């Protein structure tokens, strides 16, 4: 009786690119989470921290939900767009991010 030894490295080297991409996408989908639901107190506290940071031009770390994942950006809030309901934030590299209010998960001072 002969025994076949499976080597995952060998299998991955000979996998078609589209199969490898599908496998990676499936792994990413498994890691996705549902958007956290915040209570009234958490929302008020985040608003207070944002307003205070804008007043003193302090840097913040903002965590927000996007497409099943929690993302993080560190920087300063430039202004709040009440009409579009988004924060305009400039990160520490100088890039601008538009973060929808409804996607906010956490805000803290840096």
């Amino acid at each position: 009786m002969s025994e076949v030894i499976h080597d995952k490295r060998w299998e991955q080297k000979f996998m078609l690119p589209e199969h490898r991409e599908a496998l990676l996408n499936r792994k990413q989908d498994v890691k996705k989470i549902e958007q956290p639901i915040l209570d009234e107190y958490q929302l008020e506290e985040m608003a207070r921290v944002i307003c205070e940071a804008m007043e003193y031009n302090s840097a913040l770390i903002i965590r927000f939900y996007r497409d099943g994942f929690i993302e993080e950006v560190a920087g300063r809030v430039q202004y709040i767009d009440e009409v579009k309901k988004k924060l305009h934030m400039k990160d520490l590299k100088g890039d601008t991010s538009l973060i929808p209010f409804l996607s906010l998960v956490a805000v803290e001072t840096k």
Side-chain angles (χ1 to χ4, degrees):
M1 233 179 177
S2 68
E3 190 173 317
V4 178
I5 299 174
H6 292 289
D7 185 357
K8 289 187 180 204
R9 288 175 286 159
W10 183 86
E11 289 174 0
Q12 290 176 350
K13 286 181 183 177
F14 293 100
M15 192 180 295
L16 291 173
E18 53 271 16
H19 291 155
R20 181 175 293 140
E21 186 177 334
L23 185 61
L24 291 173
N25 287 340
R26 197 170 320 137
K27 284 181 181 179
Q28 283 295 92
D29 285 345
V30 170
K31 293 179 183 177
K32 285 186 177 185
I33 62 168
E34 288 189 29
Q35 183 170 1
I37 298 171
L38 305 178
D39 65 28
E40 199 69 30
Y41 173 77
Q42 291 169 309
L43 296 171
E44 287 175 10
E45 183 63 18
M46 286 192 304
R48 184 193 64 74
V49 171
I50 291 168
C51 289
E52 192 174 286
M54 288 179 68
E55 184 177 340
Y56 297 108
N57 197 29
S58 303
L60 293 173
I61 297 172
I62 294 185
R63 289 181 188 82
F64 59 99
Y65 179 85
R66 184 185 332 188
D67 298 327
F69 299 96
I70 304 294
E71 297 185 19
E72 181 177 286
V73 63
R76 289 177 171 73
V77 175
Q78 299 296 301
Y79 65 94
I80 298 172
D81 188 336
E82 294 285 340
V83 175
K84 294 181 181 178
K85 299 186 184 305
K86 293 183 179 186
L87 294 177
H88 286 249
M89 189 163 178
K90 190 163 281 207
D91 68 17
L92 301 176
K93 294 182 277 185
D95 297 331
T96 300
S97 298
L98 303 175
I99 304 170
F101 294 166
L102 296 175
S103 69
L104 292 177
V105 174
V107 177
E108 61 187 58
T109 55
K110 184 163 170 53

